[in-house]
Amino acid sequence: MRRISILGSSGSIGTQTLDVIRDNPGDFKVVCLAVNGNIDILKKQVEEFKPDFVSIFNEKKALEAKNILGTDVHILTGMDGLIECATNEQVDIVVGAVVGMIGVRPVVEAVKAGKDIALANKESLVTAGHIIMPLAEKMGVSILPVDSEHSAIFQALNGEDKKSLHKIWLTASGGPFRGKKRDELKNVSVEQALNHPNWSMGKKITIDSATMVNKGLELMEAKWLFGTDIDKIQILIQPQSVIHSMVEFEDGAVIAELGTPDMRLPIQYALYYPKRIYLRGDRVDFYSLGKLDFDKPDLETFEGLNAAIDAAHIGGSMPTVFNAANECAVARFLAGKIGFLDIADMIKNIMEKHTVIENPDIDTIIGLGDEIFKEYM
Ligand code: MG
C-alpha cells in the first residue's frame, strides 16, 4: 500500500486521481488532501477517503471548515499546510496538482523530503526546473509526469538510452480555435475559449490550450524532464488528440503513445509506475477513427506560443515572468476585462520590461511572480 498526499484534490487532476484510487481499493492510503477553498468537494472526499489531515489554503475557509468537517480530521491552512501535506513523514508519493505558481514551493519541499512526485503542476518545472531536476537526482526522487504529453514521452523513453533521443514530437490538439486567423479571434468570448474539442480540464488550462500557451509551458517542462535542448522539441498539431506525443530516436525510429483523451491514464501510470494495471473506460478504436491528421503550429496567430518559445530560449527568470504574466492575463480574460488576443500582447509587454536574472533561486522566483501578480492581476 502506498501512502499518498494530493495537493489540489478538488481540481480536475485531483478528482481523477481519487477516481483511480477508488477503483483500486487497498492499493493506497490517502494521508492528506489539500484544496484551495472548495469545502463542499473536500467534505465528500473526506467522508469517502478518510485522510489523516486536510489542508485548506484559504484561511477563512479553513476556519469555516472546522464545523463542517467535524473533529476527526486535522485541518491545516496556508502555505505551511500545503508544505506539511507535501512533506509529512507518513507520505510516500505526492500528487502535485495545484494550479499556478502557488504549487512550486510545496513541490520543491516534497523533493527535498525525498518524496516521489506525480507532477501535474506545470509551473514547478517551468519556473524552477533548473533547481528541481538536479535536486530530484540528488535525493533519488522520481518525478513522474501527469500530463498526457509528458507521460507519453516518458512511456516512449522507457527502457531506452536517453542519449539516443534525437527529437521529441510534442503533440497539441490546437484547441478550439485551430485553423482560425487573428482577425477571427478578436472578439471570441470566454465561453468559446472554454469549449475545448477533446479534453475536459480546469478553466486556466483550457484557456491556455485555446491560446496554445499551454503547449509553450509543456515545451519548457519537457526540456527539464527529459534533459533535452529546446530545439530538439518539435510541436505538432494532432487534432484528434490520439497520439499523446512521440519520441524520435537517432536511428529514425519513432515511438508514440496513443490512447483516448483520458487523464486517468497518465495519472494511473504515474501512481503505479513501472507497473501497468487495468483501466476501465473507452479504448482507441482504429476502425472508427479511420485516420489521424497532422499540421504545423501557426505561430503568427498563436503569438502566446511564440512568446513561450522565446522565453524558453532566453531561460533564467524569463520563463517565470512568462508564466506569471500569462496567469494574470488569463485571470483578466476570464473576468471579461481583456480580449482573447490581449492575452499574448500582455505577456509580451511584461516580458519586454524584464531584465533576466540567471539561475534564480526559489525565493527570487516566488518574489518575481508575486511582483507581477501585484502589478497586473
Ligand atoms: Mg497536456
Side-chain angles (χ1 to χ4, degrees):
M1 183 176 313
R2 296 198 84 192
R3 294 162 301 178
I4 193 167
S5 252
I6 304 174
L7 314 184
S9 70
S10 60
S12 174
I13 297 293
T15 53
Q16 293 183 83
T17 301
L18 289 169
D19 289 343
V20 170
I21 291 172
R22 179 185 300 111
D23 279 355
N24 298 284
D27 286 0
F28 294 94
K29 156 78 183 115
V30 177
V31 176
C32 177
L33 297 172
V35 301
N36 182 30
N38 195 328
I39 298 176
D40 294 339
I41 293 184
L42 181 64
K43 184 176 168 19
K44 290 191 190 109
Q45 293 178 342
V46 166
E47 282 163 5
E48 183 178 358
F49 295 98
K50 304 192 168 39
D52 298 331
F53 57 102
V54 297
S55 172
I56 302 164
F57 191 78
N58 183 312
E59 289 177 16
K60 224 178 108 207
K61 296 267 183 188
L63 278 175
E64 283 171 31
K66 288 218 159 91
N67 298 322
I68 301 165
L69 298 180
T71 49
D72 284 354
V73 63
H74 186 54
I75 302 172
L76 305 168
T77 186
M79 183 51 76
D80 290 347
L82 211 45
I83 290 175
E84 175 58 28
C85 221
T87 58
N88 185 276
E89 58 174 16
Q90 286 189 64
V91 174
D92 303 315
I93 182 164
V94 174
V95 178
V98 168
V99 179
M101 276 195 68
I102 202 157
V104 177
R105 210 186 278 275
V107 166
V108 173
E109 293 302 320
V111 176
K112 274 189 199 162
K115 312 296 183 190
D116 283 339
I117 318 267
L119 186 62
N121 171 270
K122 291 182 195 263
E123 292 76 7
S124 296
L125 289 180
V126 167
T127 66
H130 60 289
I131 297 166
I132 292 171
M133 293 313 288
L135 191 62
E137 202 179 319
K138 189 178 137 203
M139 297 302 299
V141 155
S142 301
I143 306 280
L144 303 151
V146 176
D147 195 349
S148 59
E149 294 81 0
H150 303 92
S151 179
I153 298 161
F154 188 68
Q155 292 178 58
L157 282 170
N158 210 353
E160 300 285 349
D161 183 353
K162 261 196 197 167
K163 280 188 225 108
S164 62
L165 183 156
H166 177 65
K167 186 195 276 183
I168 288 171
W169 290 93
L170 183 67
T171 56
S173 69
F177 304 135
R178 180 176 55 86
K180 296 259 191 289
K181 292 291 167 197
R182 277 182 70 82
D183 46 334
E184 296 171 89
L185 294 179
K186 257 182 212 150
N187 298 315
V188 297
S189 66
V190 171
E191 289 68 33
Q192 285 171 309
L194 284 175
N195 187 22
H196 196 277
N198 302 340
W199 296 94
S200 146
M201 306 174 287
K203 272 188 185 176
K204 158 77 168 47
I205 186 175
T206 305
I207 299 299
D208 286 349
S209 296
T211 58
M212 292 204 67
V213 160
N214 182 51
K215 211 47 57 180
L217 295 171
E218 290 182 354
L219 173 93
M220 298 184 215
E221 283 186 280
K223 168 194 146 85
W224 292 114
L225 267 173
F226 306 111
T228 54
D229 292 342
I230 293 290
D231 295 325
K232 282 188 165 185
I233 307 169
Q234 203 141 359
I235 295 167
L236 174 68
I237 305 294
Q238 206 292 287
Q240 292 91 357
S241 297
V242 167
I243 299 181
H244 295 156
S245 280
M246 308 184 264
V247 174
E248 184 178 320
F249 293 92
E250 287 294 353
D251 59 2
V254 178
I255 296 187
E257 186 261 325
L258 286 71
T260 54
D262 183 345
M263 283 309 292
R264 291 175 309 146
L265 173 56
I267 291 168
Q268 181 174 292
Y269 190 75
L271 296 187
Y272 281 89
Y273 176 78
K275 214 165 88 178
R276 287 190 189 273
I277 61 161
Y278 179 76
L279 178 67
R280 70 185 164 82
D282 294 339
R283 301 297 163 110
V284 182
D285 179 353
F286 289 97
Y287 287 163
S288 60
L289 189 61
K291 63 168 187 161
L292 291 170
D293 297 306
F294 302 99
D295 208 347
K296 270 189 186 170
D298 175 357
L299 296 180
E300 271 163 39
T301 301
F302 297 95
E303 285 190 321
L305 175 56
N306 212 5
I309 296 169
D310 285 346
H313 276 116
I314 296 165
S317 55
M318 196 54 100
T320 297
V321 170
F322 171 86
N323 175 71
N326 178 57
E327 271 190 56
C328 295
V330 171
R332 282 196 187 185
F333 173 70
L334 284 171
K337 289 181 188 161
I338 61 170
F340 184 75
L341 294 178
D342 298 330
I343 297 174
D345 287 345
M346 199 170 143
I347 295 171
K348 284 192 294 181
N349 284 335
I350 298 173
M351 277 173 66
E352 255 166 46
K353 285 185 199 152
H354 178 65
T355 310
V356 177
I357 306 159
E358 298 298 337
N359 276 315
D361 60 17
I362 291 294
D363 289 340
T364 307
I365 290 165
I366 305 289
L368 198 51
D370 286 345
E371 261 174 50
I372 292 169
F373 296 147
K374 219 167 139 190
E375 194 170 346
Y376 300 98
M377 193 59 98

